[in-house]
Amino acid sequence: MTSEKDLVQSVLCAFGSWYNSSGRAERHIRLVTEANGTNLFLRQVELFTKEWHVFLPPANSRLLQLGPILGFLAVCLVSPVILAQILTRPEMRQETRYLLLANALFGDLLFVSGYMLSTSLNTAGVLMSDWACATVLFLLGAVYSSGILSTQAMVLDTTVAVLVPLRYFALWPVSRTKRAVVVIWAVSVAMPAGSVGVFMWYNTTAPCSLQICSLPLLLVLTVSQSTPMQISMLLTVAGIMLILLLGFVGYVVLHWRTRMARVWRGERSSRAKGTFLMHYLHLFLSFCPMLVLAIELLLYCHQGALDLHANLWVSLVVCNVLVMLPKVLAPYMYSLRYRELRGAVLSFYGLKKQGAVTPVM
């Protein structure tokens, strides 16, 4: 009972801070004053209560909370099998493409698991301190960034392998790939540091902090009212979008060069088209949530354009569906692309047909 009371007080206090700083309180006071009626205080309380009920998510929005849980279950069906196949096969560990793929899937698996755990704790009403919430957000940002950077490293690997095949092993040996993985994780740790630092600074100066570590609620009630947080997050999102655009440009150049070299013929053509389509789809699904989030952050600069209820819905869809979608589909797309991985997944679940053995007479 005490924890539920603290949870309600925390959310109500954060909502009250948003209500005052967003201009709603001033607007309602003006409306009540112009009415010139009796019980002005009760009328103002009524307007505040109406805003509070608009903010509370309806029951059907709880279906969006199932997104991280379903995504976690879907990823756990395939990713551990692929990772075990790559890490236990010495010949696969000596190939750059498999090492980079394993690093990308490992980062995605950590992100989906961490976000699912965070969503479950939020649903259960578990309260967190500012430092605990900052740590969760920092770890989620780091593992998310590692997946994005690993995917772009795969773009670079494919480009080098196709454009300069004779110098591929000299330019991109396995030892250099392992150093690249270390650099990827180092950069991934640095990417969310700025936004999380600004988040901690804001909580030390704010009259009250949101003790439930929900990313959609933080976007709606905290980020929307803090210009420094908006700028820091916008810079981070813009950096991720730039990285994804560079990957897309790399595949477009590769597509054009391979067509000019007349390699799009016969069976190789259909296989190459399927590979490019898979990469384009993955990049598009990764770019969409960043684009929507960037637009949402830009709209925060115009308080009159904000609608609390719509804002909460957009944040829930972005965080619980759009961000999760490429992470969930990636292991399935890559397992279909590589025969060795597809065979390992099918064999693990007993779906691979055994070849008929013809008896020798």
Side-chain angles (χ1 to χ4, degrees), residues 9 16 34 36 74 85 87 120 137 146 167 172-173 184 206 211-212 217 231 282 293 314 328 349-350:
Q9 289 179 348
E34 292 174 354
N36 293 325
Q85 177 74 5
L87 298 178
S120 300
L137 296 177
S146 71
R167 300 181 57 193
W172 201 256
I184 286 173
Q211 293 182 338
I212 180 170
L217 288 180
I231 295 175
H282 188 260
L293 185 56
V314 171
V328 173
Y349 290 103

Side-chain angles (χ1 to χ4, degrees), residues 44-96:
Q44 188 175 352
V45 172
E46 180 183 348
L47 292 174
F48 175 83
T49 306
K50 182 178 179 181
E51 289 281 352
W52 170 249
H53 283 294
V54 169
F55 164 72
L56 288 176
N60 55 2
S61 69
R62 296 180 180 177
L63 293 176
L64 293 175
Q65 303 293 335
L66 295 176
I69 299 176
L70 295 178
F72 171 76
L73 295 176
V75 169
C76 285
L77 289 176
V78 179
S79 287
V81 180
I82 296 177
L83 291 173
Q85 177 74 5
I86 294 175
L87 298 178
T88 57
R89 297 280 296 274
E91 64 275 13
M92 298 183 76
R93 292 201 305 268
Q94 296 302 315
E95 293 193 37
T96 297

Side-chain angles (χ1 to χ4, degrees), residues 104-341:
L105 294 182
F106 179 67
D108 291 348
L109 180 62
L110 289 179
F111 175 79
V112 173
S113 303
Y115 194 75
M116 184 276 299
L117 179 61
S118 174
T119 303
S120 300
L121 292 177
N122 295 333
T123 305
V126 177
L127 301 180
M128 290 188 184
S129 65
D130 294 340
W131 280 102
C133 185
T135 302
V136 170
L137 296 177
F138 175 77
L139 293 177
L140 288 177
V143 294
Y144 179 84
S145 301
S146 71
I148 295 293
L149 294 175
S150 298
T151 304
Q152 304 317 300
M154 294 171 63
V155 176
L156 180 61
D157 172 65
T158 304
T159 303
V160 174
V162 173
L163 298 183
V164 284
L166 298 179
R167 300 181 57 193
Y168 172 73
F169 291 104
L171 295 174
W172 201 256
V174 176
S175 59
R176 188 166 295 173
T177 304
K178 294 178 180 178
R179 289 196 294 268
V181 171
V182 175
V183 172
I184 286 173
W185 280 101
V187 176
S188 301
V189 169
M191 288 183 67
S195 298
V196 175
V198 175
F199 169 77
M200 286 300 301
W201 168 82
Y202 176 82
N203 282 341
T204 57
T205 59
C208 60
S209 59
L210 186 63
Q211 293 182 338
I212 180 170
C213 195
S214 170
L215 188 55
L217 288 180
L218 288 173
L219 286 173
V220 173
L221 294 180
T222 303
V223 177
S224 63
Q225 304 307 312
S226 172
T227 302
M229 289 192 67
Q230 295 169 18
I231 295 175
S232 62
M233 285 197 65
L234 196 57
L235 291 175
T236 303
V237 170
I240 294 175
M241 292 173 64
L242 179 61
I243 293 172
L244 292 172
L245 283 175
L246 289 176
F248 178 77
V249 171
Y251 276 124
V252 170
V253 172
L254 191 60
H255 191 167
W256 178 74
R257 291 290 298 272
T258 51
R259 277 192 174 277
M260 294 295 293
R262 299 177 181 272
V263 298
W264 291 70
R265 293 181 177 179
E267 183 180 352
R268 289 186 302 175
S269 174
S270 60
R271 183 171 175 80
K273 288 179 181 178
T275 301
F276 277 108
L277 179 61
M278 178 192 69
H279 289 303
Y280 288 146
L281 178 61
H282 188 260
L283 288 173
F284 175 76
L285 292 177
S286 300
F287 186 82
C288 281
M290 295 297 103
L291 178 61
V292 176
L293 185 56
I295 295 174
E296 186 177 8
L297 291 172
L298 291 174
L299 288 176
Y300 286 157
C301 300
H302 304 281
Q303 300 292 343
L306 290 178
D307 181 78
L308 189 61
H309 187 63
N311 242 0
L312 183 60
W313 268 100
V314 171
S315 299
L316 285 170
V317 172
V318 170
C319 297
N320 291 358
V321 179
L322 295 182
V323 170
M324 300 291 292
L325 196 57
K327 306 292 185 183
V328 173
L329 294 180
Y332 292 91
M333 291 192 296
Y334 287 114
S335 63
L336 291 175
R337 169 63 179 84
Y338 298 112
R339 294 191 183 95
E340 300 87 348
L341 301 180

